[in-house]
Amino acid sequence: MLLQKEIDLRDPVRLGEELHRFAAELYPICRSITGDGLRQTLAAIGNRIPLRLVEVPSGTHVLDWTVPKEWNVRDAYVADSSGKRVVDFQKCNLHLLGYSVPIRARMPLSELKSHLFTVQEHPDWIPYRTSYYKESWGFCLSQSQMEELRDGEYQVLVDSTLVDGHLTYGECYLPGRSADEVLISCHICHPSLANDNLSGLSVATFLAQLLPGRDLRYSYRLVFLPGTIGAIAWLAQNRENIGRIRHGLVLTCLGDAGGFHYKKSRRGNTEIDRAAAHVLAHSGDSAGILEFSPYGYDERQYCSPGFNLPVGCLMRSVWGSFPEYHTSADNLDFIHPRQLAGSLQVCAAIMDVLENNRRYCNSAPYGEPQLGRRDLYSSVGGNTIGIEINARLWVLNLSDGQHSLLDIAERSGIPFLVISEAADQLMENGLLNEVQGENGIGPA
Amino acid sequence: MLLQKEIDLRDPVRLGEELHRFAAELYPICRSITGDGLRQTLAAIGNRIPLRLVEVPSGTHVLDWTVPKEWNVRDAYVADSSGKRVVDFQKCNLHLLGYSVPIRARMPLSELKSHLFTVQEHPDWIPYRTSYYKESWGFCLSQSQMEELRDGEYQVLVDSTLVDGHLTYGECYLPGRSADEVLISCHICHPSLANDNLSGLSVATFLAQLLPGRDLRYSYRLVFLPGTIGAIAWLAQNRENIGRIRHGLVLTCLGDAGGFHYKKSRRGNTEIDRAAAHVLAHSGDSAGILEFSPYGYDERQYCSPGFNLPVGCLMRSVWGSFPEYHTSADNLDFIHPRQLAGSLQVCAAIMDVLENNRRYCNSAPYGEPQLGRRDLYSSVGGNTIGIEINARLWVLNLSDGQHSLLDIAERSGIPFLVISEAADQLMENGLLNEVQGENGIGPA
Amino acid sequence: MLLQKEIDLRDPVRLGEELHRFAAELYPICRSITGDGLRQTLAAIGNRIPLRLVEVPSGTHVLDWTVPKEWNVRDAYVADSSGKRVVDFQKCNLHLLGYSVPIRARMPLSELKSHLFTVQEHPDWIPYRTSYYKESWGFCLSQSQMEELRDGEYQVLVDSTLVDGHLTYGECYLPGRSADEVLISCHICHPSLANDNLSGLSVATFLAQLLPGRDLRYSYRLVFLPGTIGAIAWLAQNRENIGRIRHGLVLTCLGDAGGFHYKKSRRGNTEIDRAAAHVLAHSGDSAGILEFSPYGYDERQYCSPGFNLPVGCLMRSVWGSFPEYHTSADNLDFIHPRQLAGSLQVCAAIMDVLENNRRYCNSAPYGEPQLGRRDLYSSVGGNTIGIEINARLWVLNLSDGQHSLLDIAERSGIPFLVISEAADQLMENGLLNEVQGENGIGPA
């Protein structure tokens, strides 16, 4: 059964709530590119799917980068002269500039200000800022909080550790008939931010739960890792296996109320690019297809010119295009059960295309085969035909060994699902022969 | 002289009326995919053009199909209990479901109803329905008629024969300088329906009348055959000659008030596709170019993947897109003399492109040749030039052996006719050399 | 320093005025395709840039043409019976049909009229007309003047000489590191017409003044020649060097108030075509890109099929599209200092693209190189990046040896200037290696 049909059988409201609940469970954790927050997050994912954890020591050279020290925080605040905490990491982990070095100091507001970050356009929102590779400290606060700060002396505490340790990532491998792989990648380094990217890791985790026990054409590798440095570390440690990746998706920002966006891989016309565009075009939602650009999420690394992998990025609203992006307003209210379930549905439909995108030869290619005698055509003539018969005609007409089912779906404008079912019926009637794929992916 | 110029010399009103009169002559005949109605129709065509009739016996295997039994009708009706004919084949041959098997029975209305067909949206129209390959019987009637039927017993008579016989088609072959062929195909299996397809066969017949006696580059083969099974039978019996077909057109629905539509061949960019699109773009009418799809008329068979012939379909309104399609409202009032004449004109213009689409080399390719001294340019400079001079410049500039005149017409936006005449003038002045075509089609 | 940056340092108002002043200096001269007016014009250009003058004798065979006799005018007029000059070459050189043969005659108005040319739509404008290759004489006058002519006898004088002499053109060659050339071509045969083409030759002259003393990648050849016959003569005399021309621009109509238009070369996708389109898209002005057509300026000759050079044409308003074209209304008021300066700026930007359009290989192509540690990235994360960082990411991502900087500018939508500067910074940081060009154009 197709993945999307299996999801259709489930209660979408309940499914969406389960996805949202998982995001909510992870929301409070203080994540960064290293540290115990990452480990807690991976442990929660590991409760649901088989996950191998990898610890990469600080100082390890990975491609052009070096794994940084591990960062952990016990407490952090700015207190006024009366000792009252006016900015408090305990209330919201976004308040602390990511990777802030330890400090305990007193200083006047004027000096403190160079360490404070706000979003002026939205006076109640706290921005998300980091300083991974330049040792620094700072606090993020709302513009309203900032304006309430009176002149005077403040006490600053960052009770963090930044010491040799490890960068942690998780990998879930689900073997299929072929060693060729589909890569699903999520960044898990953002602290209390819901759309970016608890939505992505929640959808990816649920997708991984659907796959085991199925007769899979491809093997699936889902990686959950800190953005940029995590993807770079993973690539560095898996260079010999990179060639197996046939298709890949970065999943992020999948819970907000916006329509879908798919950002193409650097190659721009790979099977994943076409599968995603096809599924989105038939998703019923408004959807945008974006050309590749080298800024964004970890497709930056997968699509660097040396690797040039067929990896795109699936989102709803595009990073940077919504004001809540990288602020405290990207919270659990900003992501919706219904949207999360819809995103899982779209991911499943894309996987269905990859799993079933075969190439056939019409075994009766001279003229149309007589579908009527095989009960594949309407018996009364004179009326126009329905989409199922039309799909059969398309599959027969283009099955010359040159066109895949996705080619046929694209050219006909008929959803892949309907084309794929038409092919199944024609196969059963001996009207098609499957062509062995050029990439060693054998028949179903 | 170009075909379209020859037609221009004739009175378009009278020409249209002749085309319409021929359709009217054939309108009453009860045609189907076999039977005497086909033979009468072919006889009428044969009165105007040389036509070879072919009879294919029932039971003959043709590609994936079998030629069905021959069907003929003497009478058919539904009569009420008083003996009054309430549905009468004698009044309109559409009343009888095509290929109805013989029956003589009495039955209550409730039982009869499962054999009755109407068009609900248009209460006065009779639909056209058939059941060629599943033995059945039925009557087609208007929704108004249907609503007048009172409960009670009805007498049903179908006095038809469905026995071994023949399928009949006609072929008109007009030899040209080359054995390479242009195929023109019309279906002639529809009973009293005017646009679909008396219009098509009328235009095709008149086109065939224009060709003999001309110095033709191509040989022309016009086939008049029952839809689907006729085309399949013809293809089955002519497989060894199929390779000669260089260009082809299915002609249908050419009399209604709508603008032209050309449906491309499966290959999508063949010379006939480009010639038709070019002519339609310059026809003065609104015109639509449709991508190939495997549903439609006999291009379905010609463009099946095994044959994959360069055959498109020329229509005015597209089948299924007008409410009169396959109903009694597609009658002689639905087709217009003026539209029929315009369709013949467009067909002629397309043939003119095929006949004259040559490739040249500019014999003075370095700089512009001095047209002024050859009286091919205006002698007073400073003003802009007219379309004739512009056409000469285009032909000279692109005649590098790589561009055909159709290429030049497309790129310049100048009608093929003007480009072709410019080439003739440049040839006369020694400024062009003809390139021998890659397909063995020699010079004029 | 890039040319356009050098121009940016100058006062644009003053620069525009200088360009206009040069046009004004040349405006009164009676130019034609041969004669002393050409020599005076070339002498004025030669005062500003190194110019080699070439004299081609009348009767010389050049490609398909023959250099005509040389034409010079001392005086010309039409006088009424009282001796009053009613049309006077001394007042405006447009009054005389170009290449008018000598005549001294008396004739009635009725006979004179066949030698008179007007523009009916604009009663006060004098048209520009010529008769180079058919011996004739005539006068151009305003429709108002024409209507004032009373019946009676007129005295006609054309005191011209049309005798064996020379056709004159000028060539400015500015050597660069490579013998590969950029060709800039202007026609200089129009008498008192400002936009067509004193604007073009003025911009070309100023462009040539900017080039010497720079470290040029290409050699530059600027030709100033009579339209058509001059370009043909130049091509005929330089056939062995034509292969060195890598890029070329015809400059004309660069002073009017309209937006830019670039007409592509016959090949349509050469580097000059893409460079011009890119610069115009980022010029801030509205701009149109025109497909090649074989009518226009001397790109007609450069793009004839035998030469097929990569030469486009840069204009503001397109010839023939503005009513002032080839009339006395194309005067010094019709061209504007600001527009002339803007045109020079655009030409400079196009040359900057040609000079700096290199191809690189990213030396750290696996993943992104860590820009932060090289001070090429912002140190605080979480915010979106600026255009400079984005340009670096684009250059790194597409520098796989396959993409030039212009490719990258086109695909990213970022101005070439910014892309080029990003490449310079990445080179300085050892992140790029230059690829030797396929055309022998070495590194900077």
Side-chain angles (χ1 to χ4, degrees):
Chain A
M1 186 165 54
L2 295 178
L3 272 175
Q4 56 182 318
K5 293 216 150 180
E6 193 167 319
I7 295 179
D8 279 342
L9 297 177
R10 298 175 62 170
D11 176 352
V13 175
R14 207 173 131 181
L15 179 61
E17 283 166 357
E18 285 173 32
L19 282 152
H20 195 275
R21 201 170 306 127
F22 187 45
E25 175 189 337
L26 301 173
Y27 184 72
I29 300 171
C30 178
R31 275 168 294 274
S32 185
I33 56 172
T34 60
D36 290 330
L38 271 187
R39 291 187 189 93
Q40 288 172 50
T41 302
L42 290 166
I45 297 170
N47 286 340
R48 293 172 170 265
I49 57 174
L51 200 68
R52 184 173 71 94
L53 261 61
V54 178
E55 298 276 355
V56 188
S58 299
T60 307
H61 291 288
V62 286
L63 305 178
D64 188 61
W65 302 58
T66 305
V67 173
K69 292 176 181 167
E70 182 176 329
W71 184 65
N72 283 291
V73 188
R74 271 181 298 261
D75 195 7
Y77 60 80
V78 176
D80 64 16
S81 53
S82 74
K84 185 186 159 205
R85 292 185 175 205
V86 293
V87 184
D88 187 357
F89 171 78
Q90 303 294 349
K91 288 202 180 144
C92 173
N93 57 36
L94 293 173
H95 276 313
L96 183 61
L97 177 77
Y99 257 63
S100 280
V101 295
I103 185 173
R104 178 182 297 268
R106 288 182 165 274
M107 63 187 70
L109 180 60
S110 56
E111 190 184 332
L112 175 63
K113 274 200 166 170
S114 67
H115 293 271
L116 301 183
F117 300 88
T118 67
V119 203
Q120 296 209 335
E121 305 79 33
H122 297 280
D124 296 328
W125 297 357
I126 306 162
Y128 163 56
R129 295 287 178 273
T130 62
S131 185
Y132 298 135
Y133 298 102
K134 186 184 169 195
E135 294 208 348
S136 181
W137 63 267
F139 286 87
C140 302
L141 64 165
S142 72
Q143 184 64 21
S144 314
Q145 277 177 295
M146 176 74 112
E147 283 162 14
E148 278 170 19
L149 297 184
R150 300 285 157 249
D151 279 345
E153 201 162 67
Y154 287 86
Q155 187 185 340
V156 171
L157 174 88
V158 178
D159 182 8
S160 66
T161 55
L162 185 61
V163 294
D164 280 347
H166 294 83
L167 174 152
T168 318
Y169 65 78
E171 195 177 288
C172 167
Y173 181 72
L174 303 169
R177 289 194 308 280
S178 159
D180 286 351
E181 292 182 14
V182 177
L183 175 73
I184 306 286
S185 175
C186 298
H187 63 279
I188 55 165
C189 53
H190 286 22
S192 295
L193 296 173
N195 200 37
D196 180 11
N197 188 25
L198 293 172
S199 68
L201 75 86
S202 181
V203 168
T205 303
F206 276 61
L207 185 66
Q209 288 182 288
L210 287 168
L211 295 171
R214 301 179 69 87
D215 178 27
L216 295 169
R217 180 189 203 182
Y218 289 104
S219 298
Y220 286 77
R221 192 177 299 273
L222 295 99
V223 294
F224 299 87
L225 33 71
T228 303
I229 186 67
I232 284 168
W234 182 83
L235 283 163
Q237 297 189 331
N238 290 277
R239 289 182 76 153
E240 73 285 359
N241 297 326
I242 296 298
R244 291 189 191 153
I245 297 171
R246 305 289 306 168
H247 319 284
L249 266 186
V250 170
L251 297 183
T252 180
C253 297
L254 286 171
D256 68 274
F260 285 105
H261 289 87
Y262 174 76
K263 175 183 159 182
K264 291 186 197 172
S265 74
R266 182 179 184 272
R267 297 190 202 164
N269 198 25
T270 64
E271 195 169 338
I272 184 69
D273 296 320
R274 295 171 51 208
H278 177 79
V279 166
L280 292 195
H282 290 277
S283 70
D285 263 311
S286 77
I289 304 298
L290 310 175
E291 293 301 319
F292 175 75
S293 66
Y295 187 56
Y297 291 103
D298 285 329
E299 71 277 7
R300 290 163 70 158
Q301 312 309 328
Y302 304 127
C303 297
S304 57
F307 293 116
N308 201 19
L309 293 174
V311 176
C313 178
L314 184 69
M315 303 161 271
R316 286 181 174 274
S317 290
V318 176
W319 48 265
S321 73
F322 50 97
E324 295 83 358
Y325 172 73
H326 279 190
T327 75
S328 56
D330 180 3
N331 57 29
L332 290 170
D333 292 336
F334 188 63
I335 62 171
H336 309 286
R338 184 199 174 92
Q339 308 303 106
L340 290 165
S343 296
L344 179 59
Q345 184 71 295
V346 156
C347 289
I350 295 172
M351 298 306 124
D352 282 336
V353 174
L354 300 178
E355 286 283 316
N356 295 284
N357 186 25
R358 294 188 188 79
R359 210 176 279 265
Y360 298 91
C361 270
N362 179 340
S363 62
Y366 295 99
E368 280 176 24
Q370 193 180 12
L371 295 181
R373 98 169 112 90
R374 297 169 174 97
D375 274 333
L376 296 172
Y377 211 82
S378 53
S379 64
V380 174
N383 239 328
T384 51
I385 57 173
I387 191 174
E388 287 79 13
I389 294 177
N390 206 13
R392 287 170 207 143
L393 295 179
W394 273 107
V395 172
L396 286 169
N397 190 276
L398 291 183
S399 285
D400 52 8
Q402 304 300 309
H403 297 88
S404 70
L405 294 187
L406 180 55
D407 292 330
I408 300 172
E410 285 178 342
R411 185 157 167 188
S412 67
I414 297 173
F416 182 87
L417 186 65
V418 180
I419 291 293
S420 177
E421 288 176 344
D424 289 347
Q425 288 173 316
L426 295 168
M427 274 293 273
E428 285 164 23
N429 281 274
L431 288 169
L432 295 181
N433 296 313
E434 187 175 349
V435 178
Q436 293 301 312
E438 73 282 28
N439 51 21
I441 298 291
Chain B
M1 187 165 53
L2 296 179
L3 272 174
Q4 56 182 317
K5 293 216 151 179
E6 193 166 319
I7 295 178
D8 279 341
L9 296 177
R10 298 175 61 171
D11 175 353
V13 175
R14 207 174 132 182
L15 178 61
E17 283 167 356
E18 285 173 32
L19 281 153
H20 195 274
R21 201 172 304 129
F22 187 44
E25 175 189 337
L26 301 172
Y27 183 73
I29 301 172
C30 178
R31 274 168 296 273
S32 185
I33 56 172
T34 61
D36 290 332
L38 272 187
R39 291 187 189 94
Q40 288 172 49
T41 302
L42 290 166
I45 297 169
N47 286 340
R48 293 173 170 264
I49 58 173
L51 201 68
R52 183 172 72 95
L53 262 60
V54 179
E55 298 276 353
V56 188
S58 300
T60 307
H61 292 287
V62 286
L63 305 179
D64 187 62
W65 302 58
T66 305
V67 173
K69 292 177 181 167
E70 182 175 328
W71 184 64
N72 284 291
V73 188
R74 273 180 297 262
D75 196 6
Y77 59 81
V78 177
D80 64 17
S81 52
S82 74
K84 185 188 159 205
R85 293 186 174 202
V86 292
V87 184
D88 187 356
F89 170 78
Q90 303 294 348
K91 289 201 179 146
C92 174
N93 57 36
L94 292 174
H95 276 313
L96 184 61
L97 178 76
Y99 257 64
S100 282
V101 295
I103 185 172
R104 179 181 297 266
R106 288 183 165 275
M107 63 188 70
L109 180 60
S110 57
E111 190 182 332
L112 176 62
K113 274 200 166 170
S114 67
H115 292 270
L116 301 183
F117 301 87
T118 66
V119 203
Q120 296 209 335
E121 305 79 33
H122 297 280
D124 296 328
W125 297 358
I126 307 162
Y128 164 55
R129 296 287 178 274
T130 63
S131 185
Y132 298 135
Y133 298 102
K134 186 183 171 197
E135 293 208 348
S136 179
W137 63 267
F139 286 87
C140 302
L141 65 165
S142 73
Q143 184 65 21
S144 316
Q145 275 176 298
M146 176 73 113
E147 283 162 13
E148 278 170 17
L149 298 183
R150 300 284 155 251
D151 280 345
E153 201 161 69
Y154 287 86
Q155 186 185 340
V156 171
L157 174 87
V158 177
D159 183 8
S160 66
T161 55
L162 185 61
V163 295
D164 281 347
H166 294 84
L167 172 152
T168 318
Y169 65 78
E171 194 177 289
C172 167
Y173 181 73
L174 303 169
R177 290 194 307 281
S178 160
D180 286 351
E181 292 182 14
V182 176
L183 174 73
I184 306 286
S185 175
C186 299
H187 64 278
I188 56 164
C189 54
H190 286 23
S192 295
L193 295 173
N195 200 36
D196 180 12
N197 187 26
L198 294 172
S199 67
L201 77 84
S202 182
V203 168
T205 303
F206 277 61
L207 185 66
Q209 288 183 287
L210 287 169
L211 295 170
R214 302 178 69 86
D215 178 27
L216 296 169
R217 181 189 201 183
Y218 289 104
S219 297
Y220 286 76
R221 191 176 302 270
L222 296 99
V223 294
F224 300 86
L225 33 71
T228 305
I229 185 68
I232 284 168
W234 182 82
L235 283 164
Q237 297 189 331
N238 290 278
R239 288 182 76 152
E240 71 286 359
N241 297 326
I242 296 299
R244 290 188 192 154
I245 297 171
R246 306 288 308 166
H247 321 283
L249 265 187
V250 170
L251 297 182
T252 181
C253 296
L254 286 171
D256 69 275
F260 286 104
H261 289 88
Y262 174 75
K263 174 182 159 182
K264 291 186 195 172
S265 74
R266 181 178 185 273
R267 297 191 202 163
N269 199 25
T270 65
E271 194 169 338
I272 184 70
D273 296 319
R274 295 171 50 209
H278 178 80
V279 166
L280 292 194
H282 290 276
S283 70
D285 262 312
S286 77
I289 304 299
L290 310 175
E291 292 301 319
F292 176 75
S293 66
Y295 187 56
Y297 292 102
D298 285 329
E299 70 278 7
R300 291 163 70 158
Q301 311 310 327
Y302 304 126
C303 296
S304 57
F307 293 116
N308 200 19
L309 294 174
V311 175
C313 178
L314 184 70
M315 302 161 271
R316 285 181 175 275
S317 289
V318 176
W319 48 264
S321 74
F322 50 98
E324 296 84 357
Y325 173 73
H326 280 190
T327 76
S328 57
D330 179 5
N331 58 28
L332 291 169
D333 292 337
F334 187 62
I335 62 172
H336 309 285
R338 182 199 175 91
Q339 309 302 105
L340 291 164
S343 297
L344 179 60
Q345 184 70 295
V346 156
C347 289
I350 294 172
M351 298 305 124
D352 282 337
V353 175
L354 300 177
E355 286 282 317
N356 296 284
N357 186 25
R358 292 187 189 81
R359 208 176 281 264
Y360 298 90
C361 271
N362 178 339
S363 63
Y366 296 97
E368 281 175 24
Q370 192 179 14
L371 295 180
R373 99 169 111 88
R374 297 169 174 98
D375 273 332
L376 297 171
Y377 211 82
S378 54
S379 65
V380 173
N383 239 327
T384 51
I385 57 174
I387 191 174
E388 288 79 13
I389 294 178
N390 206 12
R392 287 170 209 144
L393 294 179
W394 273 107
V395 172
L396 286 168
N397 190 276
L398 292 183
S399 285
D400 52 8
Q402 305 299 309
H403 297 89
S404 72
L405 294 188
L406 180 54
D407 292 331
I408 299 172
E410 285 179 342
R411 186 157 167 188
S412 67
I414 297 172
F416 182 86
L417 187 65
V418 180
I419 291 292
S420 176
E421 288 176 343
D424 289 346
Q425 289 173 315
L426 294 168
M427 273 293 273
E428 285 164 23
N429 281 274
L431 287 170
L432 295 181
N433 296 314
E434 186 174 348
V435 178
Q436 293 300 312
E438 74 280 29
N439 52 21
I441 298 291
Chain C
M1 188 165 54
L2 296 178
L3 271 174
Q4 55 182 317
K5 293 216 152 180
E6 193 166 319
I7 295 178
D8 279 341
L9 297 177
R10 298 174 63 171
D11 175 354
V13 175
R14 207 174 132 180
L15 178 62
E17 283 167 357
E18 285 173 32
L19 281 152
H20 195 276
R21 201 172 304 128
F22 187 45
E25 174 189 337
L26 301 172
Y27 183 73
I29 301 171
C30 178
R31 274 168 296 272
S32 186
I33 56 172
T34 60
D36 290 330
L38 272 186
R39 291 187 189 93
Q40 288 171 50
T41 302
L42 290 166
I45 296 169
N47 285 341
R48 293 173 170 264
I49 56 174
L51 201 67
R52 182 173 72 95
L53 261 61
V54 178
E55 298 277 354
V56 188
S58 300
T60 307
H61 292 288
V62 286
L63 306 177
D64 188 62
W65 301 58
T66 306
V67 173
K69 291 176 183 167
E70 181 175 330
W71 184 65
N72 284 290
V73 189
R74 273 180 296 262
D75 196 7
Y77 59 82
V78 176
D80 64 17
S81 53
S82 74
K84 184 189 158 203
R85 293 185 173 203
V86 293
V87 184
D88 187 356
F89 170 79
Q90 303 295 349
K91 288 200 181 148
C92 174
N93 57 36
L94 292 174
H95 276 313
L96 184 60
L97 178 76
Y99 257 63
S100 281
V101 295
I103 185 173
R104 177 182 299 267
R106 290 182 164 275
M107 62 187 70
L109 180 60
S110 56
E111 190 184 332
L112 175 63
K113 275 201 166 171
S114 67
H115 292 271
L116 301 184
F117 301 87
T118 66
V119 203
Q120 295 208 336
E121 306 79 31
H122 298 279
D124 295 328
W125 297 358
I126 307 161
Y128 164 57
R129 295 288 179 274
T130 63
S131 185
Y132 298 135
Y133 299 101
K134 185 182 170 198
E135 294 208 348
S136 181
W137 63 267
F139 287 86
C140 302
L141 64 165
S142 73
Q143 184 65 22
S144 315
Q145 275 176 298
M146 176 75 113
E147 283 162 14
E148 277 169 19
L149 297 183
R150 300 285 154 252
D151 278 346
E153 199 160 70
Y154 287 85
Q155 187 185 341
V156 171
L157 174 89
V158 177
D159 182 8
S160 66
T161 55
L162 184 61
V163 294
D164 281 346
H166 294 83
L167 172 152
T168 317
Y169 64 78
E171 195 177 290
C172 167
Y173 181 72
L174 303 169
R177 288 195 307 280
S178 160
D180 287 352
E181 291 182 15
V182 176
L183 174 73
I184 306 286
S185 175
C186 299
H187 64 278
I188 56 165
C189 54
H190 286 24
S192 295
L193 295 173
N195 200 36
D196 182 10
N197 189 27
L198 294 172
S199 68
L201 77 84
S202 181
V203 168
T205 304
F206 277 60
L207 184 65
Q209 288 182 287
L210 287 169
L211 295 171
R214 301 179 68 89
D215 178 26
L216 295 168
R217 180 189 202 183
Y218 290 104
S219 298
Y220 286 77
R221 191 177 299 272
L222 296 99
V223 295
F224 299 87
L225 33 70
T228 304
I229 185 67
I232 284 168
W234 182 82
L235 283 164
Q237 297 189 330
N238 290 277
R239 288 181 76 152
E240 71 286 359
N241 297 326
I242 295 299
R244 291 188 190 153
I245 297 172
R246 307 287 309 166
H247 320 284
L249 266 186
V250 170
L251 297 183
T252 180
C253 296
L254 287 171
D256 68 274
F260 286 104
H261 289 86
Y262 175 76
K263 175 183 158 181
K264 291 185 196 172
S265 75
R266 182 179 184 271
R267 297 191 201 163
N269 198 26
T270 64
E271 194 169 340
I272 184 69
D273 296 320
R274 295 170 52 210
H278 177 80
V279 166
L280 291 194
H282 290 276
S283 70
D285 262 311
S286 77
I289 304 299
L290 310 174
E291 292 302 318
F292 175 75
S293 66
Y295 187 55
Y297 291 102
D298 286 329
E299 70 277 7
R300 292 162 70 158
Q301 312 309 327
Y302 304 127
C303 296
S304 57
F307 294 116
N308 200 21
L309 293 174
V311 175
C313 178
L314 184 69
M315 301 161 272
R316 285 181 174 274
S317 291
V318 176
W319 48 264
S321 73
F322 51 97
E324 295 84 356
Y325 173 72
H326 280 189
T327 76
S328 57
D330 179 4
N331 57 29
L332 291 170
D333 293 335
F334 188 63
I335 61 172
H336 309 284
R338 182 198 175 92
Q339 308 302 106
L340 291 164
S343 297
L344 179 60
Q345 184 71 295
V346 156
C347 289
I350 295 172
M351 298 305 124
D352 282 336
V353 174
L354 301 177
E355 286 282 316
N356 295 284
N357 186 25
R358 294 187 187 80
R359 209 175 280 265
Y360 298 91
C361 271
N362 178 339
S363 62
Y366 296 98
E368 280 175 24
Q370 193 179 12
L371 295 181
R373 97 169 113 90
R374 296 169 175 98
D375 274 332
L376 296 171
Y377 212 80
S378 53
S379 64
V380 173
N383 239 327
T384 51
I385 57 174
I387 191 174
E388 288 79 12
I389 294 178
N390 206 12
R392 287 170 208 144
L393 294 179
W394 272 108
V395 172
L396 285 169
N397 190 276
L398 292 183
S399 284
D400 52 8
Q402 305 299 309
H403 297 88
S404 71
L405 293 187
L406 180 55
D407 292 330
I408 299 172
E410 285 179 342
R411 186 157 167 188
S412 67
I414 297 173
F416 182 87
L417 186 65
V418 179
I419 291 292
S420 176
E421 288 177 342
D424 289 346
Q425 288 173 315
L426 294 168
M427 275 292 273
E428 284 164 23
N429 282 274
L431 288 169
L432 296 180
N433 296 314
E434 187 174 349
V435 177
Q436 293 301 311
E438 73 280 29
N439 53 21
I441 298 292

